[in-house]
């Protein structure tokens, strides 16, 4: 869902996004309009909040590891919720 096609692309997006957030925080006291202009840049680069970027990083690393093992990368769904498997609550009973 939040994963990028490559790890380099995802890290680059993170650097741009976190850099824009840091610049916005530093510019806020002296130039609030410039800081406000940097916030959308950060949100677009991070594809949401920093937590969304972190989840995307985890998904990107998992997909890369799956490809290295010759498996199909996960499509963003948990394995316990795939069709044909019992729901987690049903298995615990």
């Amino acid at each position: 869902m939040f994963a990028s096609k490559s790890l380099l692309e995802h890290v680059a997006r993170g650097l741009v996004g976190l850099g824009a957030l840091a610049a916005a925080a530093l510019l806020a006291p002296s130039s609030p309009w410039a800081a406000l202009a940097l916030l959308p840049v950060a949100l677009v680069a991070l594809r949401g909040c920093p937590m969304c970027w972190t989840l995307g990083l985890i998904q990107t690393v998992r997909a890369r590891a799956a490809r290295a093992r010759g498996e199909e990368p996960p499509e963003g769904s948990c394995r316990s919720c795939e069709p044909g498997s019992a729901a987690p609550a049903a298995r615990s009973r």
Side-chain angles (χ1 to χ4, degrees):
M1 180 175 202
F2 297 106
S4 298
K5 291 182 182 181
S6 73
L7 189 58
L8 181 62
E9 174 191 350
H10 199 81
V11 171
R13 291 176 74 87
L15 288 174
V16 169
L18 294 175
L21 277 177
L26 291 173
L27 286 173
S30 61
S31 180
W33 290 110
L36 283 174
L38 285 172
L39 288 179
V41 172
L43 290 176
V44 168
L46 294 174
R47 293 184 180 164
C49 66
M51 190 62 179
C52 297
W53 179 84
T54 305
L55 288 172
L57 178 64
I58 293 168
Q59 289 176 346
T60 302
V61 170
R62 286 184 68 203
R64 183 176 181 187
R67 277 196 232 68
R69 291 188 307 264
E71 300 172 2
E72 186 68 28
E75 293 294 325
S77 63
C78 75
R79 290 193 171 138
S80 63
C81 300
E82 289 179 352
S85 67
R91 278 188 270 167
S92 64
R93 291 183 188 169

